[in-house]
Amino acid sequence: MNALLFIPRWLDRNIERMLILFAYTIMALIIVYAVFERFVFQTQIPWSTSIPIYLFLWVTWIGCSHNVRKRSHLVFNDIRTRLSYKLQYACMWLDCILWWGFGIIVIYFTWEQTMLTKMNWATVLGTDDMMQWWFYMATPFAWCLLLIRAAQNLWEDTKRYRNKEPFIVDIQSVGQD
C-alpha cells in the first residue's frame, strides 16, 4: 500500500518546486542563449523576449501556491501567535475562506480570458505555432493548486485543534518542507 502512495505523496510534497524549477530553468536558458546570440552573432531570436515573460507567469503563480503550502504567503504570524487558541483557529478558517473566495473569482475570470485567447488562436509574439493560452493556463491551474493547499492547511489545523496541539504557523520554523 505504501508503494502505491509513494508517487502521490511525492507529488504533494514536490509538484510546485518541480514546476517552478522547470519553468525557471527554461526561462534562464532562453535568456542566456538570447544574450549570447545577440552579442556574438548580432542577431536575436524573435520570441526570446516574450516566452520568458510568459514562463514567469508559471513561476510566480506556482510560487504563490508553494508559499501557501508552507504557510508563508500573506500571513500575519506576529499578531496571530498573540491571540488565544480559539481565535488562532478562527483565523485559520478565515484564511481558508478568503483564499477560496479570491480563488474562485480569479479562476473564473482567468479561465474565461484563457479560453478567449484559445478561441482566437492567439500565438506568442515571434512564433507561428506557440499558443498564448498555454502560458495563461498558469493562473487558473496554480490557483486550483493553491485552493487545494489552503484546504490541506485547514484540514491539518482542524486535526491539531481537535487534539489541542499547537498550530504550525510556518513550516520552515518547524524544519519541514
Side-chain angles (χ1 to χ4, degrees), residues 84-100:
S84 71
Y85 191 68
K86 287 184 179 186
L87 283 176
Q88 286 181 29
Y89 183 59
C91 285
M92 305 292 185
W93 269 95
L94 182 62
D95 284 351
C96 190
I97 291 167
L98 289 173
W99 279 122
W100 272 82

Side-chain angles (χ1 to χ4, degrees), residues 72-92:
S72 60
H73 194 2
L74 298 177
V75 294
F76 302 100
N77 289 334
D78 291 339
I79 297 168
R80 185 172 295 179
T81 55
R82 291 186 173 104
L83 298 174
S84 71
Y85 191 68
K86 287 184 179 186
L87 283 176
Q88 286 181 29
Y89 183 59
C91 285
M92 305 292 185

Side-chain angles (χ1 to χ4, degrees), residues 3 29 51 61 74 93-94 133 173 175 177:
L29 289 173
I51 289 180
W61 288 119
L74 298 177
W93 269 95
L94 182 62
W133 73 270
S173 66
D177 192 25

Side-chain angles (χ1 to χ4, degrees), residues 133-149:
W133 73 270
W134 299 343
F135 298 99
Y136 290 147
M137 216 34 218
T139 308
F141 174 78
W143 273 86
C144 286
L145 194 55
L146 186 148
L147 295 184
I148 291 168
R149 297 308 189 185

Side-chain angles (χ1 to χ4, degrees), residues 91-160:
C91 285
M92 305 292 185
W93 269 95
L94 182 62
D95 284 351
C96 190
I97 291 167
L98 289 173
W99 279 122
W100 272 82
F102 290 131
I104 289 169
I105 292 167
V106 169
I107 291 167
Y108 176 80
F109 286 106
T110 58
W111 181 262
E112 184 178 304
Q113 192 64 38
T114 302
M115 290 302 105
L116 281 172
T117 307
K118 181 182 179 185
M119 288 185 284
N120 287 323
W121 294 89
T123 59
V124 174
L125 292 174
T127 68
D128 293 329
D129 56 359
M130 189 167 288
M131 307 307 288
Q132 284 181 3
W133 73 270
W134 299 343
F135 298 99
Y136 290 147
M137 216 34 218
T139 308
F141 174 78
W143 273 86
C144 286
L145 194 55
L146 186 148
L147 295 184
I148 291 168
R149 297 308 189 185
Q152 285 175 329
N153 287 347
L154 185 61
W155 178 264
E156 232 176 77
D157 296 333
T158 301
K159 286 194 307 189
R160 290 184 167 283

